C-alpha cells in the first residue's frame, strides 16, 4: 500500500493501462451498446483509482450515470444511461410530447411523471478515510440515496438543493 499523497501503485497503473487498451479495442472494432458501456465503466473505475492518490477535496459526479424510469431496488444494476448534469428531456428519456410544436411557452420534447433512478459508482480518495463526506444535489425532488445497496438517507424536499452526510465511505472499494 502506498503512503497517503504518494503516486499510484504499479497495480493501479497496470489496471489503468489495461482499461485504456480495452477501450481502444472496443472503439477500433466499432462495437456498440453494452461493450462500450462496460469499457467506459472499466476506464472510469481505473481513472478513479489513480485519482484516489491525489489530495482532493471534491469529486465531480458529472458524466454518464446508470438510469431507469421507475423505483430502484437494492442490488439492481441500471442498464440504461443518461449524462448528468442534464434533464430527462435533454437525455431523451420519457414519453414524446405531442404538443412540442407549441412554441408560445417552454415545452419539453420528452415528458415523464413518476419515479426515476440514477446510479453511479465512485471511489473516494484515500485521504478521505475518516473525514466528513457530503453529497450535494441541486433542485431534486423526493430523493433516496443508496450506498453499497443500503438505503442511507432520504428526503421529501421538492425542487431545492439537498445535502446528505455520507461520512464513512470506504476508500478501498467502489461505492
Amino acid at each position: 500500500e502506498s503512503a497517503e499523497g504518494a503516486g499510484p501503485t504499479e497495480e493501479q497503473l497496470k489496471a489503468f493501462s489495461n482499461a485504456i487498451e480495452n477501450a481502444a479495442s472496443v472503439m477500433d472494432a466499432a462495437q456498440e451498446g453494452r461493450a462500450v458501456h462496460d469499457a467506459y465503466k472499466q476506464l472510469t473505475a481505473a481513472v478513479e483509482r489513480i485519482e484516489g492518490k491525489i489530495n482532493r477535496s471534491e469529486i465531480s459526479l458529472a458524466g454518464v450515470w446508470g438510469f431507469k424510469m421507475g423505483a430502484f431496488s437494492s442490488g439492481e444494476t441500471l442498464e440504461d444511461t443518461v449524462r448528468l448534469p442534464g434533464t430527462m428531456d435533454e437525455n431523451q428519456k420519457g414519453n414524446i410530447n405531442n404538443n412540442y410544436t407549441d412554441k408560445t411557452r417552454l415545452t419539453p420534447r420528452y415528458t415523464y411523471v413518476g419515479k426515476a433512478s440514477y446510479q453511479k459508482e465512485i471511489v473516494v480518495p484515500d485521504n478521505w478515510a475518516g473525514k466528513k463526506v457530503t453529497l450535494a444535489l441541486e433542485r431534486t425532488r423526493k430523493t433516496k440515496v443508496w450506498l453499497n445497496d443500503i438505503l442511507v438517507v432520504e428526503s421529501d424536499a421538492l425542487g431545492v438543493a439537498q445535502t446528505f452526510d455520507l461520512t464513512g465511505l470506504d476508500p478501498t472499494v467502489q461505492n
Side-chain angles (χ1 to χ4, degrees):
E1 182 82 28
S2 60
E4 182 179 327
T9 65
E10 286 298 319
E11 180 181 323
Q12 290 168 325
L13 290 173
K14 183 157 180 63
F16 184 66
S17 177
N18 289 342
I20 291 171
E21 289 175 19
N22 181 48
S25 69
V26 166
M27 298 312 291
D28 287 345
Q31 295 183 26
E32 296 180 3
R34 189 69 192 169
V36 172
H37 177 73
D38 290 345
Y40 175 81
K41 282 180 66 173
Q42 180 188 15
L43 189 56
T44 301
V47 167
E48 288 172 345
R49 288 273 180 217
I50 288 175
E51 287 180 334
K53 295 299 178 184
I54 300 169
N55 188 7
R56 297 181 296 158
S57 62
E58 292 182 0
I59 295 176
S60 171
L61 298 179
V64 176
W65 284 62
F67 173 79
K68 90 168 190 180
M69 291 184 290
F72 176 78
S73 299
S74 180
E76 182 176 16
T77 298
L78 305 184
E79 300 293 330
D80 199 2
T81 60
V82 293
R83 183 163 285 286
L84 296 178
T87 65
M88 288 178 62
D89 184 44
E90 291 170 330
N91 282 283
Q92 300 179 358
K93 304 298 180 189
N95 305 307
I96 293 180
N97 183 355
N98 292 324
N99 294 325
Y100 183 66
T101 57
D102 179 3
K103 303 295 183 190
T104 61
R105 58 191 164 115
L106 294 175
T107 307
R109 178 78 172 125
Y110 292 84
T111 62
Y112 178 74
V113 176
K115 295 179 180 180
S117 300
Y118 300 83
Q119 184 176 58
K120 178 94 170 165
E121 292 180 357
I122 63 165
V123 177
V124 298
D126 293 345
N127 65 333
W128 287 19
K131 294 185 179 173
K132 181 176 174 111
V133 177
T134 58
L135 170 66
L137 303 174
E138 295 180 3
R139 296 184 1 214
T140 62
R141 299 200 179 182
K142 292 182 180 183
T143 304
K144 292 182 181 182
V145 176
W146 296 75
L147 182 59
N148 299 328
D149 290 328
I150 299 169
L151 178 63
V152 293
V153 68
E154 55 187 306
S155 170
D156 288 335
L158 294 174
V160 297
Q162 298 178 31
T163 303
F164 303 103
D165 183 358
L166 300 181
T167 301
L169 292 176
D170 185 347
T172 65
V173 300
Q174 283 189 301
N175 292 280

